[in-house]
Amino acid sequence: MTKKHLIDPMDFSKEELEEIFNLAHQIIANPKEYSNVCDGKILATLFYEPSTRTRFSFEAAMMRLGGKILGFSEPNSSSTAKGETLADTITMVSIYADIIAMRHPKEGAARLASMYSEVPVINAGDGGHQHPTQTLTDLLTIKSLKEGLNNHVIGLCGDLKNGRTVHSLIKAMSRYEGTKFILISPKELSIPTYIREEVLLKNNVEFREVEKLEDVIEELDILYMTRIQKERFFNEEEYLRLKDSYILDVEKMKLAKDDMIVMHPLPRVNEIDIEVDKDKRASYFKQAEYGMYVRMALIAKLLEVV
Ligand code: CP
């Protein structure tokens, strides 16, 4: 692997992604073989925004590879609270750690960090922009549960305007043959123009935009639900009006194919009824588990320890 940082889902070629997915599968099959490959290495997790899965899975990944971790989950406990710039923080942390995973509310913050870092920087989410390691998680899930990454009809449902996981997944899946997207959202929360024009239209990817999940669920191979992102709304009334736009329940699942899988980057609020968890097609917790293994593979590749 020649790449130093992972900032955008397109930073890796399809071949490099295959290497990561193959390694993730090897780690799943034989975790003991990889339990010391990061001996002596340190991962810094710098989280300027809340997280459960991404931070814990990065930290669990490094510990399962035999490495150590440092970092913060609350920026006010760091010198950011005293006015230190991101550039200075990264300059310092890249002296202490061998690799950095960073989440930040500002779009472009991870790219900026990579310019000041002596060690690999992984974007763990930058504002409403991109979330490339969620995309690695999503691709590994699809590859593992749907026998490969080609020829899938993917329904993306919910807050497609603010959902960075959606933007990253559209970019990544647009490279695979036969991908067709059905974009399900209220008009107010439809995909950003740059995704529609610079990714979908520019690459001749088949897609259509609809407002009702019930109208299209029977066509889908993959249903990717997302939460309405309260923290990205400027107007609380608008959030309250839109927050329950979609609720996937047992009745709607009856309309879907027997082998459709339901994915969700999590956390969920109420867009998937908990009764759906019992359905064998509910794949979101398995997806989160794949997230840890794919991050193990990513860390190992970026540190060149395998
Ligand atoms: N999927 C995801 O990014 O979850 P967290 O916000 O809990 O990290």
Side-chain angles (χ1 to χ4, degrees), residues 215-232:
D215 289 350
V216 295
I217 193 168
E218 66 180 9
E219 297 177 47
L220 306 177
D221 301 314
I222 297 158
L223 171 57
Y224 194 96
M225 295 295 295
T226 63
R227 146 184 95 85
I228 307 294
Q229 307 241 323
K230 185 179 181 184
E231 67 275 29
R232 314 257 180 245

Side-chain angles (χ1 to χ4, degrees), residues 51-54 103 131 134 265-267:
S51 168
T52 298
R53 274 146 296 277
T54 310
R103 171 171 289 185
H131 192 346
Q134 181 64 48
L266 303 177

Side-chain angles (χ1 to χ4, degrees), residues 83-99:
E84 184 164 65
T85 63
L86 178 62
D88 282 357
T89 302
I90 294 295
T91 302
M92 293 313 307
V93 174
S94 73
I95 294 169
Y96 305 139
D98 300 288
I99 186 164

Side-chain angles (χ1 to χ4, degrees), residues 4 21 91-92 96 98 128 150 174 235 260 274 292 306:
K4 196 179 170 196
F21 300 146
T91 302
M92 293 313 307
Y96 305 139
D98 300 288
N150 294 325
S174 292
N235 177 337
M260 182 191 81
I274 54 168
M292 181 183 68
V306 290

